[in-house]
Amino acid sequence: MARILTGVQSTGTPHLGNVLGAIKPAIELANDPANDSYLFIADLHSLTQIKDGNLLRNNTYAAAATWIACGLDTSRSVFYRQSDVPEVTELAWYLQCMFPYSRLGLAHSFKDKSGRLEDVNAGLFGYPMLMAADILLYDAEKVPVGKDQMQHLEMTRDVASRFNHKFGETFVLPEVLTRESTMYVPGTNGGKMSKSQGNTINIFDDPKTLKKVINKEIITDATPLEDPKNPNSSVVYNLFKLVSSENDALEMANALRAGGYGWGHAKKALLEAIVDGYASERSRFNELMANREEIDFALAQGSARARVVASDVLSRVRSKIGY
Ligand code: ADP
Ligand code: TRP
């Protein structure tokens, strides 16, 4: 039995890249009876970027609805909202006081964000210590994250070892579980699908909106319909491959190579694969968003379970420090 923990920020409705690259693989781990899983929505981290309470709340609902709609069994894992467990902010403070200022300034994510964002607040700087607190507060053993988060995991291990060294064994040193599937979901313009690039596909959109996005936004080259085409260099095919069966993908690749099959045909197939392939997720998502009590109930149960562990670990930390 391994204790797995991971969080996602609530910065918008998760897109196809988030679903395939992060959410589905984490659900697989969480639904595996060999794991004891903690999954949460990092709405305190989102405050570094979003200052609108309604938007923060809505994003949190959309994120929670996505996890549930994509198959998370909330009775099997501890599924909670970060801000419902205030113990985490207290632990984040203790950790900040144990970690050198100069190391935080070297974080890639801070350097990247502080160069890009208008609002460079102190929360953005302390972000990795709140993330370390998220992990250490639950004695997590394995943390599945994307490659961009690996440095934050190193900092988590670093601050945990510093603390253990100074005050005696207190924290479990977590291991990073990088998702080996080099899943890279391209966006409509061919770059990495990302909220900040405005190139996303939202699987929960209604079919009409999806049709518009697929037809108008996905880039294609100007090869005439009758000419052979290279599937691998096209965004439509690369997306289709990720949302269809191996057989259907092979069929499309052959048709494109043979000629007489246009990008319009490929887009129509992609639209169908997304509309039909995610039909049950879409209807469940809409049902949850229209009836938020179900989400509230799941998160309240999760937070209550999370707080039992959190307060226990925090007492251990306080007494080690001498409070
Ligand atoms: P965004 O780039 O849209 O802001 P995030 O950085 O919030 O997305 O990513 C949340 C999770 O989704 C991360 O674990 C990340 O690895 C995964 N993810 C995001 N975009 C993609 C993508 N295009 N392909 C695969 N995984 C992705
Ligand atoms: N920083 C992570 C991201 O941007 C989200 C996150 C916050 C997280 N706390 C965490 C991930 C703890 C794993 C464990 O994707």
Side-chain angles (χ1 to χ4, degrees):
M1 184 74 103
R3 181 164 294 179
I4 309 258
L5 175 142
T6 196
V8 284
Q9 284 200 70
S10 46
T11 42
T13 301
H15 53 72
L16 183 64
N18 299 142
V19 168
L20 292 176
I23 295 175
K24 290 266 186 184
I27 290 177
E28 242 169 72
L29 282 173
N31 286 350
D32 180 343
N35 296 325
D36 162 28
S37 303
Y38 286 68
L39 294 174
F40 66 96
I41 298 159
D43 60 341
L44 294 173
H45 277 111
S46 303
L47 188 61
T48 57
Q49 291 183 54
I50 300 176
K51 303 295 192 282
D52 173 337
N54 276 332
L55 184 60
L56 269 177
R57 239 188 336 274
N58 259 323
N59 284 346
T60 300
Y61 279 119
T66 303
W67 284 86
I68 301 172
C70 287
L72 178 72
D73 179 349
T74 56
S75 65
R76 180 170 271 165
S77 42
V78 181
F79 180 55
Y80 58 103
R81 185 168 19 212
Q82 187 186 27
S83 63
D84 283 341
V85 189
E87 284 82 355
V88 77
T89 55
E90 183 177 332
L91 179 57
W93 176 253
Y94 299 147
L95 298 177
Q96 288 197 57
C97 294
M98 307 295 154
F99 200 70
Y101 165 87
S102 55
R103 288 272 332 263
L104 280 177
L106 295 176
H108 306 310
S109 73
F110 177 70
K111 286 200 279 191
D112 169 46
K113 287 178 184 158
S114 57
R116 229 168 3 99
L117 301 178
E118 240 169 69
D119 174 19
V120 183
N121 52 72
L124 216 48
F125 186 74
Y127 184 111
M129 288 301 107
L130 179 59
M131 179 160 163
D134 286 327
I135 297 168
L136 301 175
L137 191 57
Y138 299 96
D139 289 334
E141 294 164 306
K142 296 197 169 154
V143 183
V145 283
K147 294 219 166 72
D148 58 322
Q149 297 297 316
M150 279 172 74
Q151 195 188 28
H152 290 155
L153 258 292
E154 278 162 29
M155 290 183 171
T156 302
R157 290 173 60 90
D158 185 356
V159 74
S161 320
R162 285 171 194 262
F163 192 103
N164 286 351
H165 188 71
K166 191 154 194 63
F167 298 105
E169 275 315 298
T170 310
F171 293 122
V172 172
L173 257 54
E175 276 172 43
V176 61
L177 260 189
T178 45
R179 283 184 290 271
E180 247 344 296
S181 86
T182 41
M183 173 77 75
Y184 172 90
V185 181
T188 53
N189 62 357
K192 177 179 178 274
M193 187 178 290
S194 172
K195 278 170 288 237
S196 59
Q197 303 301 314
N199 62 356
T200 59
I201 293 177
N202 176 356
I203 58 167
F204 305 120
D205 274 344
D206 60 274
K208 226 164 130 189
T209 310
L210 277 167
K211 185 172 178 185
K212 213 158 43 182
V213 170
I214 290 173
N215 285 344
K216 299 227 165 97
E217 292 178 17
I218 294 185
I219 52 160
T220 52
D221 63 25
T223 321
L225 187 140
E226 50 294 345
D227 287 10
K229 300 170 188 65
N230 178 1
N232 296 320
S233 60
S234 81
V235 178
V236 193
Y237 172 73
N238 282 317
L239 280 169
F240 186 72
K241 209 168 55 175
L242 295 171
V243 295
S244 66
S245 68
E246 224 172 290
N247 257 346
D248 289 351
L250 192 64
E251 222 170 83
M252 181 186 283
N254 288 338
L256 284 165
R257 284 196 188 98
Y261 184 87
W263 296 125
H265 297 122
K267 284 187 170 184
K268 188 160 176 281
L270 174 65
L271 175 66
E272 274 169 22
I274 295 178
V275 169
D276 299 347
Y278 289 104
S280 67
E281 284 88 345
R282 190 173 306 114
S283 78
R284 185 80 175 107
F285 178 87
N286 289 330
E287 190 182 285
L288 287 158
M289 290 302 276
N291 170 24
R292 301 191 178 188
E293 293 88 67
E294 194 180 335
I295 304 177
D296 284 330
F297 181 74
L299 291 174
Q301 272 199 324
S303 302
R305 289 169 68 196
R307 284 194 86 171
V308 174
V309 180
S311 59
D312 194 41
V313 175
L314 194 58
S315 309
R316 189 163 89 209
V317 176
R318 283 186 191 137
S319 74
K320 285 285 173 81
I321 300 176
Y323 285 123

